[in-house]
Amino acid sequence: MDNMKSIINKHNKKVTNADNDTNTDNQVQCNCRNKDQCPLDNKCLTSSVIYNAQVTTNNATKNYIRLTEGTFKQRFSQHKATFKHRKYTNSTELSKYIWKLRDNNQDFNIKWTIISRARLYNNISKRCDLCLTEKLMIITAKPDRILNKRSELISKCRHENKFYLRNN
């Protein structure tokens, strides 16, 4: 009986613990030149995360929830490019909102946080915890404070595509 209990506990811990083996304590979690300016409190090299960009203005706070399979720092660099170059205005809902604020000469502040970590698509279980967790976070967010479109909830997991034979 104790053996079965330990097996179940081990399984439950494995399923609920979203830590992938990619970021252990002995690996570097930040490579920012100026550690004080790291967007994620010196954890910018964390991968397989669901992150939140909280945009605060004088009269409103909006959240943008998204996932990244790679490191957060890679995704953050892409976001910075969409904020810098107008040709990328329509890349994301976040960039649309930022450009709208800029066009109206409104000051804003963006605070980046990791909401959750999750496992990528598993070809055996045919399940992507990363996409499912992102959808859960979007569903549970307050609708009047979120920038994400609800159509994201019905989108197909794009992480399974790399397992198709035509992509190899």
Side-chain angles (χ1 to χ4, degrees):
M1 185 69 172
D2 285 336
N3 190 25
M4 183 56 78
K5 183 177 179 181
S6 69
I7 291 171
I8 292 171
N9 286 340
K10 186 176 178 182
H11 169 74
N12 289 344
K13 187 175 183 180
K14 181 180 174 184
V15 171
T16 58
N17 184 7
D19 276 344
N20 291 341
D21 295 335
T22 56
N23 278 337
T24 56
D25 290 337
N26 61 354
Q27 289 182 330
V28 176
Q29 293 185 0
C30 177
N31 65 354
C32 294
R33 289 182 186 154
N34 188 347
K35 302 289 184 197
D36 295 338
Q37 294 180 356
C38 179
L40 268 183
D41 298 326
N42 300 321
K43 293 183 179 162
C44 60
L45 294 179
T46 308
S47 60
S48 301
V49 296
I50 292 89
Y51 62 89
N52 180 41
Q54 185 179 51
V55 183
T56 307
T57 62
N58 290 339
N59 53 352
T61 299
K62 297 283 187 178
N63 292 301
Y64 176 75
I65 298 171
R66 210 60 191 145
L67 64 82
T68 182
E69 178 180 358
T71 66
F72 173 80
K73 190 164 192 171
Q74 292 168 329
R75 187 66 187 108
F76 178 68
S77 295
Q78 293 168 344
H79 278 300
K80 284 195 314 187
T82 66
F83 304 155
K84 191 183 284 188
H85 305 288
R86 190 170 284 279
K87 66 181 178 181
Y88 300 121
T89 300
N90 294 320
S91 295
T92 64
E93 293 301 317
L94 179 61
S95 61
K96 287 178 192 175
Y97 186 67
I98 296 301
W99 280 104
K100 181 178 147 189
L101 292 174
R102 283 190 174 162
D103 291 342
N104 293 331
N105 292 322
Q106 279 193 290
D107 291 333
F108 62 90
N109 184 33
I110 304 175
K111 183 176 189 247
W112 302 90
T113 54
I114 293 177
I115 301 173
S116 182
R117 293 196 60 209
R119 297 186 191 282
L120 288 173
Y121 179 80
N122 182 327
N123 198 31
I124 295 169
S125 67
K126 306 290 186 206
R127 186 174 135 176
C128 183
D129 290 335
L130 191 61
C131 289
L132 292 173
T133 305
E134 178 198 31
K135 290 175 184 182
L136 176 67
M137 296 300 167
I138 292 171
I139 288 171
T140 57
K142 293 182 179 179
D144 59 328
R145 298 184 96 197
I146 193 159
L147 294 171
N148 299 72
K149 298 290 182 206
R150 292 294 195 193
S151 60
E152 295 172 6
L153 299 175
I154 58 170
S155 63
K156 179 183 170 291
C157 172
R158 61 186 173 270
H159 302 110
E160 72 178 287
N161 291 341
K162 63 184 157 201
F163 291 97
Y164 293 149
L165 201 53
R166 68 173 183 258
N167 293 331
N168 291 329

